[in-house]
């Protein structure tokens, strides 16, 4: 998975060395039980990117690189909410709240192109957890609403507005796991954590790197 040849577990420890992070943002490549249609990114018809099993995600040594106290922001699909809580616990954090990403159209209405067998998904959840005592958010968090409303970009890419919220509400040092590209004042980790990163699959016709080329 990682160009260094190390396992994900060892690669993460090697990146952190002796540093402990006050804020960790993670967008794991979740593996869906139902791998049909547009739901699963690893479906052979789409092959967008590789995924990790729940056990593989839980086994990542996040507890070893998190400060005390610290904050965790964990992206999880609606269908995998129980698994998201399980990962948060395995990483040494306790669930507190969540931030909802509402995907909207250009006119501000809900973007109904999302997938789902029971309801049409127009939201994703960013779970928020804490570790240690005195782990309350910074003062801007007292007025920060728990919703982000933006248009979608390429498949699975999360809104850039998340960084403004996290940087205002949580302290450093900050680590982004499974990052797509580099970001100033953040440590980034993952096999797409490169400043020259470009998605390799088809993207939406607006607001995306490949479509603009």
């Amino acid at each position: 998975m990682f160009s260094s040849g190390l396992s994900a577990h060892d690669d993460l420890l090697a990146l952190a060395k002796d540093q402990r992070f006050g804020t960790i943002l993670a967008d794991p490549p979740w593996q869906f039980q139902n791998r049909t249609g547009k739901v699963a990114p690893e479906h052979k018809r789409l092959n967008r990117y590789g995924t990790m099993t729940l056990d593989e995600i839980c086994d990542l040594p996040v507890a070893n690189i998190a400060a005390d106290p610290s904050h965790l922001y964990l992206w999880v699909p609606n269908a995998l909410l129980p698994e998201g809580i399980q990962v948060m616990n395995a990483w040494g954090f306790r669930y507190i709240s969540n931030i909802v990403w509402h995907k909207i159209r250009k006119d501000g209405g809900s973007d109904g192109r999302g997938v789902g067998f029971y309801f049409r998904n127009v939201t994703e959840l960013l779970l928020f957890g804490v570790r240690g005592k005195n782990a309350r958010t910074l003062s801007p968090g007292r007025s920060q609403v728990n919703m982000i409303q933006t248009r979608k970009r390429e498949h699975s890419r999360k809104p850039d507005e998340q960084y403004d919220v996290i940087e205002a509400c949580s302290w450093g040092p900050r680590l982004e796991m499974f990052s797509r590209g580099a970001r100033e004042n953040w440590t980034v980790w993952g096999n797409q954590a490169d400043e020259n990163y470009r998605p390799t699959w088809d993207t939406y016709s607006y607001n995306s790197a490949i479509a603009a080329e």
Side-chain angles (χ1 to χ4, degrees):
M1 180 177 180
F2 296 90
S3 58
S4 63
L6 298 174
S7 67
H9 180 284
D10 293 342
D11 192 76
L12 183 57
L13 289 178
L15 175 77
K17 296 181 180 178
D18 295 327
Q19 187 170 31
R20 296 294 177 265
F21 296 96
T23 296
I24 297 174
L25 167 64
D27 183 18
W30 299 99
Q31 191 172 96
F32 288 80
Q33 290 183 347
N34 188 325
R35 302 184 185 184
T36 61
K38 297 181 180 179
V39 174
E42 77 274 23
H43 187 269
K44 63 182 180 180
R45 185 168 59 84
L46 302 173
N47 194 28
R48 293 189 176 109
Y49 53 81
T51 57
M52 297 176 67
T53 67
L54 178 60
D55 286 343
E56 288 172 336
I57 296 172
C58 285
D59 286 343
L60 291 172
V62 177
N64 298 88
I65 63 173
D68 187 353
S70 55
H71 289 167
L72 173 65
Y73 294 82
L74 177 64
W75 283 103
V76 60
N78 292 331
L80 299 180
L81 177 57
E83 288 83 349
I85 299 295
Q86 183 177 338
V87 167
M88 183 168 282
N89 291 334
W91 288 358
F93 289 81
R94 63 183 185 278
Y95 172 76
I96 296 295
S97 186
N98 63 70
I99 297 173
V100 178
W101 176 25
H102 178 207
K103 304 170 187 179
I104 59 175
R105 304 187 305 260
K106 186 177 182 179
D107 64 5
S110 295
D111 188 336
R113 292 176 297 171
V115 296
F117 290 105
Y118 297 92
F119 301 101
R120 183 67 61 177
N121 284 313
V122 298
T123 64
E124 282 191 53
L125 293 176
L126 180 58
L127 306 185
F128 174 73
V130 302
R131 171 179 173 163
K133 297 180 179 179
N134 302 316
R136 194 176 181 185
T137 52
L138 300 175
S139 57
R142 315 291 193 272
S143 58
Q144 175 64 52
V145 299
N146 73 324
M147 180 175 285
I148 298 173
Q149 298 186 84
T150 67
R151 298 180 72 191
K152 293 189 293 187
R153 299 179 72 175
E154 57 263 16
H155 176 82
S156 87
R157 179 168 176 173
K158 302 307 184 287
D160 288 343
E161 288 79 2
Q162 66 177 326
Y163 297 108
D164 291 336
V165 173
I166 295 171
E167 290 170 2
C169 297
S170 299
W171 52 86
R174 301 185 182 93
L175 168 68
E176 181 175 5
M177 298 171 55
F178 308 103
S179 168
R180 288 181 179 170
R183 182 171 179 81
E184 187 176 1
N185 297 322
W186 285 71
T187 298
V188 294
W189 175 82
N191 59 4
Q192 296 174 342
D194 183 279
E195 61 183 7
N196 297 316
Y197 163 76
R198 288 288 188 278
T200 56
W201 51 81
D202 292 337
T203 64
Y204 297 107
S205 59
Y206 61 86
N207 201 19
S208 70
I210 279 187
E213 294 178 353

